[in-house]
Amino acid sequence: MSRGRRGADRLAQAFSQAGVKRLFTLSGNHIMPFFDAAIDAGIELVHARHEAAAVHMADAWARLTGQTGVAMVTGGPGHTNAVTALYTAAMAESPVLLLSGHAPTDQLGMGAFQEMAQAEIAAPLAKASWTSTSPDGLAGDFAKAVRVARSGRPGPVHLSLPSDCLERDAAETPIALGEPTTRLQDRDAQAILEALQRARRPLVVTGPSSLTAAGRERVAKLEQACGIPVVGTESPRGTADPSLGAFAEMLAQADCVLLLGKRLDFTLKFGKPPAFRDDCEFLQVDADLVEIGRTRRAVSGRLRHGVVADFFPAVDALAAHARAASHGAWKEEVRAAIEFRPAAWETARSNEPGRLHPVQALRPLQALLDAHPRSVFISDGGEIGQWAQACLRAPQRVINGVAGSIGAALPFAIGARYAEREAPVIAVMGDGTFGFHCAEMDTAVRYALPFTAVVGNDARWNAEYQIQLREYGRERARGCELLPARYDEVTAAFGGHGERVTRAEDLMPAARRAEQSGKPACLNVMIEGLPAPNIRRNG
């Protein structure tokens, strides 16, 4: 092999051509040639403590920057550790590329070290998944993977890299990085807008792509242009998403709903009553034809217009053709419902000594997020994650998303800090969540990446405990207990800043000290384990 001409070197060159300067990774035998090639290519390696964490970091980076987030792990068990994180990225519509080392091609079928069907394992969770077959093809495969991740409905892609392809000499081949785009035709945009304008209570409901920084800006322009409320959704709680207040009441009154890049899935109760009126008409613009077919099966003849187009071009086309409709009162009513929070929250207090009500633990943190125009709010966990989304907002947000999986908050915070070097990064999580990737505090300390992790510590897996209470009764609520562990001391042991909070008046002074420490920080806030809020204006 010749340094500079190996498959690994050609792949590193392709990284540079694609503008990828940072790789979230965990080392292993199969990928060490690329670690060597990355030095000459100037690619920064962010070395995580778990393969899934590397993917979560790439996911947060992708959501916040709009660029492809790239993670690289070794083959075999390294690959299987990473694959689980693809589901969160897929449901968040995040353009993530997972590169996995792989057994050498000339040993396949012979019992090679850590040989397994990696592409087949990742395929159900990715837009595309395949294995490179030659050193000459590595760069082209990488470019194709980036294109697929970003085109249509964005999402994760997996590519396996046989170690002999990385090690052997490879020809220098040109790569194509352009992304195919499906645009919304003028006639379709006009037909959709006319249908919305004829309705008395129209709504535009958008999916996760609309809740990135770029997405929020574009859909705000659409709402301003058409005068019809545009509401983004990315929560597994769907119509009961606490960040949307009492929006479910408004959705149930809508007579015409445009699904703009939003799947009609469990989060929208499949379009059925009582979440929707039984005579509500649907319009749909989606990058995937299969989604339009699924909507048609769910609501039958109530889908009046369905067309394939990519999300951002469709938003822009609708905004360009829109004229303000006479729905001002309806729009204000929808916005008021979304902003609604119960008055009782103003005086919420814990019933348990030495613990805070979730509202007491979270609402004061809004002052930190309001201090910068690009602040980042991360929310993860079961019930505490829902309280956080109800209590806090920021210009940029990363949540566990429609996948509903927990555990990603700490790697999310690391990816977010790389995306936003100066803005506050506040990551709220449960004590269960902290345990998934607590060693990533070491990663944050090693790379000097300050953020504030706020752990709501109720010493239990509270979401499941609440299910037990509801379904089986208190006497059968067993098996979800945790210790009231000192997660602040765990963080300090890794070299970060940690404090335990047991009184409401101590929360903000501790939060200020955490920010001023300039270190990865953990506020271990002892909270009362309450069920997630179910926000209603009546009852």
Side-chain angles (χ1 to χ4, degrees), residues 115-342:
E115 178 182 351
M116 64 173 64
Q118 293 182 183
E120 291 82 353
I121 290 170
L125 304 178
K127 290 182 67 178
S129 179
W130 74 98
T131 302
S132 289
T133 58
S134 73
D136 294 346
L138 285 177
D141 282 340
F142 171 80
K144 175 184 174 183
V146 171
R147 289 196 306 272
V148 173
R150 295 177 59 84
S151 63
R153 171 175 272 108
V157 173
H158 162 256
L159 175 62
S160 271
L161 311 170
S163 56
D164 57 339
C165 293
L166 293 171
E167 293 166 349
R168 285 160 38 199
D169 284 356
E172 187 170 4
T173 55
I175 61 172
L177 290 167
E179 300 165 29
T181 300
T182 304
R183 301 190 178 279
L184 183 65
Q185 299 298 314
D186 290 349
R187 64 179 180 277
D188 291 316
Q190 291 167 350
I192 288 167
L193 289 165
E194 288 171 4
L196 288 170
Q197 289 163 356
R198 286 194 300 269
R200 293 182 61 243
R201 294 187 176 91
L203 282 172
V204 180
V205 180
T206 58
S209 292
S210 71
L211 290 165
T212 62
R216 290 174 188 271
E217 182 179 348
R218 303 273 271 277
V219 298
K221 291 179 180 177
L222 172 59
E223 181 174 284
Q224 183 178 17
C226 69
I228 294 169
V230 182
V231 182
T233 65
E234 61 174 347
S235 168
R237 301 279 172 138
T239 59
D241 178 355
S243 70
L244 296 179
F247 171 65
E249 298 173 12
M250 300 294 100
L251 187 64
Q253 297 178 38
D255 55 357
C256 183
V257 172
L258 167 60
L259 302 170
L260 182 52
K262 169 59 186 170
R263 294 180 170 108
L264 189 65
D265 56 10
F266 76 98
T267 64
L268 293 180
K269 308 297 184 185
F270 309 104
K272 308 294 185 186
F276 291 84
R277 289 169 37 163
D278 58 10
D279 62 348
C280 178
E281 295 187 348
F282 290 88
L283 312 164
Q284 188 168 20
V285 179
D286 202 278
D288 297 331
L289 181 61
V290 67
E291 294 298 335
I292 295 172
R294 186 160 68 173
T295 299
R296 197 174 300 282
R297 291 193 299 275
V299 301
S300 190
R302 290 191 288 140
L303 178 60
R304 302 302 189 191
H305 199 94
V307 61
V308 174
D310 291 348
F311 176 72
F312 283 117
V315 170
D316 294 343
L318 290 167
H321 287 86
R323 54 182 178 81
S326 55
H327 295 94
W330 165 246
K331 186 174 78 169
E332 292 305 314
E333 191 176 352
V334 171
R335 288 296 156 198
I338 291 172
E339 295 296 323
F340 173 79
R341 299 294 185 272

Side-chain angles (χ1 to χ4, degrees), residues 1 14 27 49 85 216 282 316 342 351 372 470 527 539:
M1 64 180 177
S27 58
R49 295 292 301 270
R216 290 174 188 271
F282 290 88
D316 294 343
N351 294 316
H372 196 284
R470 290 194 305 269
I527 63 168

Side-chain angles (χ1 to χ4, degrees), residues 390-431:
C391 290
L392 300 172
R393 65 189 65 195
Q396 301 185 91
R397 182 177 90 158
V398 180
I399 71 170
N400 55 354
V402 178
S405 57
I406 68 169
L410 291 175
F412 275 172
I414 290 172
R417 175 51 74 206
Y418 274 112
E420 290 294 341
R421 286 296 194 173
E422 302 297 330
V425 175
I426 308 296
V428 179
M429 66 200 76
D431 47 341

